Amino acid sequence: MNIALYVVAGLLLLVSFYKDRKKTKMALKKAWKAFENILPEFLVVILLVGLLLTVINEEVISNIIGEKSGWLGVFLAAATGSITLIPGFVAFPMTALLLEGGAGYMQIGAFISALMMVGIITLPVEMKYFGKKLAIARNFLAFLFSFVVALVIGVVMSL
Amino acid sequence: MKKFLKRYRGFLIAIVIMILITLFNRELGLKAIGISGYSIKEMIMIIPPVFVLLGLLDVWVPRETMMKYMGPGSGLKGILLAFFIGSAAAGPLYGAFPIAAVFMKKGVKFSNIMIFIGAWSTTKIPMFLFEMASMGTKFAITRLFIDIPGIIIIAYILSAVMKEDEIKKIYEDAEKFDT
């Protein structure tokens, strides 16, 4: 998927360059400025991810979702998903394994939903773009929403 | 230099913490550094094309065009476009924020930007295919069906919660992101 993104960006850049060099230069300048502007926050996020994921590893997640059940398990699963930042290509095989290991569908649903929609670690970056209030409100609503997902997944999967 | 230190203060503090942890617990520290290294690699892979695209978008697509398709009064067309652009994306959620900023500059409606963010976070097409493969069709489709209304509802709650002048301020701040 990354390759597709590079191909699209590269092709558009070529077309842009062919049509108007000055505008292309301006676009690249804007791209760099926008990146440099957010770089400090990005770097902090990356180090935080490193620190957190050393503490919260697969085993811890499996303990939380596997041993406990019910809504407490759902809550803990959603909370764990909120503070971790795992790419989907790693997360889905992992949750599939957790399911085989006896984890509940509700907890897995809450974990996946929170993992994707809530980003506690990326909050500094989000706040820089959206301001405090909007960033917090969005994450809070997404956190609540992961319970809805858990409920629906729980019902549907037991049919 | 002073400005540099101030901007990168958080990063420098995090590095010092990392070094301290490594000194006290070598294994834990090295593991954290390894994971951070992996994340940096992921970021380096995804960021250049995303920022190049947003630079091109900013320069080439006129504000009027974006307003017409996704601005206030764009209705269902705007919602569908926001969903589509967000779902066609790749990469972690933080890649979506700079694009949201350009959308703001171009006058895209607030609720549509929130739908775009929601779609980027959880209804990405390549990710959906992957989810089907590893979690099963029933699980993935159920989640998709609940996510679509969920994203729209969250977008509209956020539009209602945010006051007019607060949204205006966020849009004004977005203007400054490439200066």
Side-chain angles (χ1 to χ4, degrees):
Chain A
M1 198 53 210
N2 274 337
I3 296 168
L5 204 60
Y6 271 86
V7 171
V8 171
L11 280 179
L12 288 176
L13 197 62
L14 273 178
V15 173
S16 167
F17 187 76
Y18 178 73
K19 280 198 150 179
D20 190 333
R21 282 188 187 203
K22 221 172 135 194
K23 264 190 164 179
T24 309
K25 214 178 141 193
M26 204 162 97
L28 288 176
K29 221 165 146 184
K30 274 175 182 274
W32 170 253
K33 284 265 178 66
F35 170 65
E36 210 277 325
N37 201 313
I38 198 68
L39 188 61
E41 281 80 4
F42 267 149
L43 289 172
V44 173
V45 165
I46 275 166
L47 291 186
L48 282 180
V49 172
L51 285 173
L52 258 172
L53 284 190
T54 20
V55 188
I56 306 170
N57 51 31
E58 205 168 313
E59 205 178 314
V60 175
I61 296 173
S62 140
N63 278 336
I64 291 170
I65 301 177
E67 285 173 7
K68 290 170 184 157
S69 56
W71 286 102
L72 180 67
V74 171
F75 177 81
L76 291 173
T80 313
S82 303
I83 49 176
T84 40
L85 197 77
I86 310 171
F89 292 101
V90 179
F92 286 127
M94 184 179 116
T95 50
L97 278 177
L98 291 174
L99 270 180
E100 272 175 35
Y105 273 109
M106 283 176 82
Q107 288 80 0
I108 294 288
F111 174 73
I112 291 179
S113 189
L115 179 66
M116 300 196 144
M117 297 180 79
V118 188
I120 300 293
I121 304 183
T122 48
L123 212 51
V125 175
E126 191 169 348
M127 280 182 190
K128 186 148 185 196
Y129 284 105
F130 289 166
K132 250 187 205 153
K133 185 180 169 187
L134 177 57
I136 290 173
R138 192 197 71 77
N139 280 281
F140 179 68
L141 288 174
F143 182 75
L144 291 183
F145 179 64
S146 62
F147 291 86
V148 179
V149 172
L151 186 67
V152 175
I153 289 270
V155 171
V156 173
M157 294 312 283
S158 66
L159 288 179
Chain B
M1 189 61 193
K2 209 174 158 191
K3 204 179 145 203
F4 176 85
L5 280 180
K6 201 182 162 210
R7 285 192 62 208
Y8 287 88
R9 193 179 45 204
F11 175 60
L12 295 172
I13 291 171
I15 283 200
V16 171
I17 293 173
M18 212 96 156
I19 291 171
L20 284 177
I21 289 175
T22 313
L23 286 179
F24 282 105
N25 187 337
R26 212 180 130 80
E27 200 193 344
L28 200 75
L30 288 180
K31 206 179 152 205
I33 291 169
I35 295 172
S36 297
Y38 176 81
S39 308
I40 288 180
K41 212 180 100 201
E42 205 203 356
M43 190 175 104
I44 289 173
M45 291 297 288
I46 199 79
I47 274 179
V50 166
F51 278 84
V52 164
L53 282 176
L54 74 84
L56 291 173
L57 174 74
D58 201 0
V59 170
W60 283 103
V61 182
R63 191 181 152 86
E64 293 70 35
T65 314
M66 291 292 281
M67 289 269 278
K68 191 176 143 207
Y69 288 106
M70 293 173 83
S74 57
L76 186 65
K77 186 174 59 190
I79 294 175
L80 290 176
L81 256 176
F83 252 114
F84 178 76
I85 298 173
S87 301
L93 184 57
Y94 56 68
F97 300 134
I99 295 182
V102 177
F103 279 178
M104 287 176 192
K105 283 170 76 173
K106 299 284 179 189
V108 171
K109 196 178 164 191
F110 180 72
S111 59
N112 284 344
I113 290 176
M114 291 299 114
I115 288 171
F116 162 75
I117 292 286
W120 183 303
S121 71
T122 199
T123 61
K124 286 199 288 276
I125 295 159
M127 210 56 91
F128 173 71
L129 299 176
F130 198 69
E131 182 175 358
M132 274 214 297
S134 37
M135 301 297 291
T137 314
K138 198 174 167 188
F139 185 94
I141 290 183
T142 307
R143 220 173 63 78
L144 181 68
F145 269 95
I146 181 79
D147 277 342
I148 291 171
I151 287 166
I152 296 177
I153 291 169
I154 289 176
Y156 280 96
I157 294 177
L158 288 172
S159 308
V161 168
M162 297 299 290
K163 292 190 193 79
E164 194 94 14
D165 54 318
E166 287 170 335
I167 293 177
K168 213 177 134 207
K169 168 109 195 342
I170 296 171
Y171 272 62
E172 279 167 10
D173 287 345
E175 297 284 340
K176 297 178 216 142
F177 261 94
D178 48 20
T179 52

